[in-house]
Amino acid sequence: MIDTPKKQEYLITGLALLFFALLAVATTLVFTRLDLTSGRAHTLSATARNLHREIPESVRITYFISKSLASRHPGAQQVEDFLRELEAASRGRIRVRIEDPAADPEKAQGFGVPPQEMQVIERNEQRVAQVYTGVVIEYLDDFQTLPVVIGTETIEYEVIKAVRNLIHKTTQVAGFLVGDAGRSLDANYTMLSQYIQQAGYEPRAVAPSMPIESDINVLFVLGNSQLDRYDAYFIDQFIMRGGRVLFAVHGVNVDIEQGILATPVEADGVIDLLAAYGIELRRQLVLDEANVTVPFQIGNYSGGYDIQYIRYPHWIAVQDRFVNHDHPITSRFVGLSLYWPSPLTARAGTGLEAQSLITTTPKGWLQTGNFATAPQEEASYYLEKTATTGSYTLALAVSGQLRSPFANGDLPARDGAEPLESPAIASTDSRFVVVSSTDFLSDIIQFARSEVNISFGISSADWLASAEDLIAIRTRAERDLRLNLIRDEDTRAALIVLVYMVNLVLIPALVIVWALLRAHARKRREQLARAQRGGEL
């Protein structure tokens, strides 16, 4: 017969085992973790938590990850944790599987997950191993693949976008119309094309002087110096049909192949089109004390070249406090550099709202005629500063009702081309963004280490495509890691004085005080010791 204490012991042990069993089951249904990052980068967004409401049928997510990579890279576990958390929040609508493709690599490759080469050192021997790390999202009889996933920086954004594309059976298309002579999408905008594709858009080159396809969700107009009124007609008609446009345009053309020669853009169809919409792009240059230091190759007396680092006020490093944080595009601003921008002005118009996104500091200034842009002309950068100092708008977001400037029937013509059709005359739900820098999305960003510019371009595309809820998700883990110097002279002077005071006065004073206190405490202990010994040493 079992005595009462033994019964109580068995009961407590059984209850404890039951508690831990139920806790283990609960962890498969509820997932939580502590997120101490400033942007809550590792916490599911409200959009992700509510994604199950958009899913009529079950979504299957397979994470193909090689064990050899998972054991060597922490990103694999972070990806798995995110997918498990998303699964737990989906109320059964999302099912997640983790598979090692080692047994059946053709299955992963069939979904478009390519093998990656990784150097492995085992038993003092180095070899190259093929590993897989990709995510496949399946819905009904269709799927979409994230071919290479090794971290969680953008995976939430990419997965949500892929799920929505599969559910609605749509693929968002980003069109690229390059409007400057000698430039092309493949040669000058490779990074933009690559990253826009990673963001879930299908990149497509758009030819000038041709109707713009109606299935394009967002049109990037990259440059304007070679687009006349005939080209502008097709952009206008795209907007009148409800199309959304990001204009990356300039008022002054800077030729980096000709010694950074700057000349105002001449007769220009896009500038005139924007003016008809109420947006004035002036043929001037904006400079700012908040700028980028640029390494220039400058000839020396021996016939060679020296590298000189010059503070270049034509390349503006946009400061966070001069950004409109109330607008979705810039609500989570992560950094931006603008190259040779021009000032923008929005005229008040009926039914149209233009919101400033980016401005210079109050210490910006203009070059209105004598465009000194070359490094050897540094002394001339500041000739008009006193007369033109102020804050200037560099980017605008425009929405509302638009009327076509071709509505009166004054259609452009081109020799050898068919007459244009009667235009659509108005749009009631227009959206477009204007940034007064053609180069801010070009491959110059690699030279300037301004990859954060792509983030602004994708955020603009998402806002234009009415995907505002995804903007904050993608940008919350991004940071501008460049070491930008403080450009405001007053702030710089104050910080220099503060540094001198701390290093030359405060720190030595603290050391002296600490030494005096330590000496005093030691003397006090010696006096107490002598007193206890009757005054003897």
Side-chain angles (χ1 to χ4, degrees):
M1 190 172 193
I2 302 176
D3 57 6
T4 301
K6 277 289 186 183
K7 288 182 178 180
Q8 291 177 348
E9 183 179 341
Y10 291 151
L11 179 61
I12 292 172
T13 302
L15 290 175
L17 292 174
L18 179 62
F19 169 77
F20 285 112
L22 293 175
L23 182 63
V25 173
T27 57
T28 65
L29 301 175
V30 179
F31 188 101
T32 185
R33 57 183 165 183
L34 185 63
D35 187 357
L36 301 179
T37 58
S38 60
R40 309 290 291 172
H42 302 293
T43 300
L44 280 186
S45 64
T47 302
R49 291 195 302 271
N50 295 323
L51 186 61
H52 62 90
R53 299 176 181 175
E54 305 178 37
I55 304 175
E57 303 291 340
S58 178
V59 169
R60 300 173 301 282
I61 299 180
T62 304
Y63 181 29
F64 290 101
I65 177 67
S66 300
K67 286 184 179 180
S68 56
L69 178 60
S71 63
R72 291 175 170 84
H73 198 291
Q77 186 60 52
Q78 294 172 2
V79 172
E80 182 177 347
D81 288 346
F82 161 75
L83 294 175
R84 292 299 186 193
E85 188 174 2
L86 183 65
E87 180 184 34
S90 70
R91 302 187 182 183
R93 294 292 186 180
I94 296 176
R95 297 297 182 188
V96 173
R97 293 180 300 178
I98 311 298
E99 290 191 17
D100 182 1
D104 187 9
E106 292 183 358
K107 180 179 179 182
Q109 294 178 21
F111 281 113
V113 179
Q116 307 289 317
E117 291 188 347
M118 180 182 72
Q119 288 187 344
V120 179
I121 299 177
E122 292 179 346
R123 298 177 183 177
N124 297 325
E125 293 184 1
Q126 181 173 314
R127 63 184 179 87
V128 176
Q130 282 194 337
V131 297
Y132 295 82
T133 172
V135 173
V136 177
I137 301 99
E138 299 177 81
Y139 181 74
L140 299 178
D141 58 349
D142 199 1
F143 70 91
Q144 189 164 327
T145 301
L146 309 179
V148 180
V149 177
I150 196 59
T152 57
E153 289 81 5
T154 60
I155 188 173
E156 184 175 6
Y157 170 90
E158 293 171 351
V159 167
I160 293 174
K161 201 158 195 179
V163 169
R164 287 178 172 176
N165 288 345
L166 290 170
I167 291 172
H168 302 294
K169 294 186 179 298
T170 59
T171 299
Q172 291 186 314
V173 179
F176 298 94
L177 173 58
V178 180
D180 287 331
R183 292 197 171 193
S184 67
L185 181 62
D186 294 335
N188 302 97
Y189 296 93
T190 56
M191 284 194 67
L192 175 61
S193 179
Q194 173 189 345
Y195 280 95
I196 204 75
Q197 188 170 16
Q198 291 180 7
Y201 292 89
E202 176 191 321
R204 182 187 301 172
V206 175
S209 308
M210 298 287 291
I212 299 169
E213 294 91 337
S214 58
D215 65 332
I216 291 177
N217 301 91
V218 180
L219 175 66
F220 287 74
V221 176
L222 304 170
N224 52 295
S225 58
Q226 294 296 309
L227 299 178
D228 59 15
R229 193 165 178 263
Y230 190 86
D231 299 305
Y233 169 85
F234 294 106
I235 299 173
D236 170 76
Q237 289 303 287
F238 177 73
I239 294 175
M240 292 303 116
R241 297 194 307 268
R244 310 295 176 82
V245 181
L246 168 62
F247 292 95
V249 291
H250 53 184
V252 176
N253 185 51
V254 179
D255 190 343
I256 60 177
E257 302 294 335
Q258 299 293 326
I260 317 183
L261 177 66
T263 55
V265 174
E266 298 179 354
D268 186 276
V270 173
I271 292 180
D272 293 343
L273 179 65
L274 291 173
Y277 294 157
I279 308 300
E280 180 186 3
L281 175 67
R282 283 186 270 167
R283 292 170 170 85
Q284 301 170 348
L285 287 177
V286 181
L287 296 79
D288 199 348
E289 285 192 356
N291 54 59
V292 178
T293 298
V294 180
F296 282 107
Q297 197 175 55
I298 299 176
N300 55 34
Y301 292 108
S302 63
Y305 290 93
D306 295 327
I307 300 297
Q308 293 186 14
Y309 288 83
I310 295 176
R311 286 182 57 187
Y312 196 53
H314 303 78
W315 285 16
I316 297 177
V318 177
Q319 295 189 356
D320 180 78
R321 55 196 175 126
F322 301 108
V323 168
N324 181 1
H325 290 282
D326 294 328
H327 196 279
I329 294 177
T330 45
S331 60
R332 298 188 66 88
F333 182 72
V334 296
L336 183 68
S337 294
L338 298 178
Y339 316 122
W340 303 292
S342 299
L344 288 168
T345 305
R347 298 195 311 269
T350 304
L352 195 66
E353 179 185 12
Q355 298 183 58
S356 173
L357 297 178
I358 303 291
T359 64
T360 67
T361 71
K363 296 185 179 180
W365 73 96
L366 298 178
Q367 285 185 348
T368 61
N370 179 24
F371 300 121
T373 53
Q376 61 270 23
E377 299 175 306
E378 185 178 4
S380 300
Y381 293 170
Y382 306 91
L383 293 178
E384 298 183 71
K385 182 176 181 181
T386 302
T388 62
T389 295
S391 178
Y392 295 93
T393 299
L394 304 177
L396 290 164
V398 184
S399 58
Q401 300 176 358
L402 279 177
R403 181 175 174 81
S404 171
F406 304 100
N408 59 4
D410 181 20
L411 302 183
R414 179 171 289 176
D415 292 341
E418 294 291 330
L420 297 175
E421 299 178 356
S422 298
I425 63 173
S427 172
T428 58
D429 183 24
S430 298
R431 277 189 182 186
F432 61 89
V433 174
V434 185
V435 182
S436 63
S437 171
T438 292
D439 291 292
F440 92 100
L441 290 176
S442 74
D443 289 340
I444 284 180
I445 61 178
Q446 294 178 288
F447 169 78
R449 301 186 62 83
S450 300
E451 289 82 358
V452 289
N453 286 13
I454 299 293
S455 177
F456 182 92
I458 296 175
S459 293
S460 298
D462 286 339
W463 178 74
L464 291 167
S466 302
E468 292 94 333
D469 58 339
L470 295 179
I471 297 174
I473 296 174
R474 187 184 51 76
T475 58
R476 62 183 179 172
E478 294 183 339
R479 296 290 181 272
D480 185 357
L481 301 178
R482 294 171 299 166
L483 299 177
N484 293 320
L485 297 177
I486 299 169
R487 300 304 184 191
D488 184 83
E489 298 294 343
D490 295 336
T491 304
R492 183 201 301 272
L495 286 176
I496 290 174
V497 172
L498 179 62
V499 169
Y500 276 116
M501 292 295 294
V502 169
N503 287 280
L504 299 181
V505 178
L506 181 60
I507 292 177
L510 289 174
V511 172
I512 293 171
V513 169
W514 176 80
L516 291 174
L517 290 174
R518 185 178 175 84
H520 176 73
R522 183 176 180 179
K523 183 177 181 181
R524 183 65 180 269
R525 287 196 302 271
E526 291 176 351
Q527 291 175 345
L528 290 174
R530 285 197 299 269
Q532 291 174 355
R533 292 193 298 269
E536 297 179 0
L537 294 176

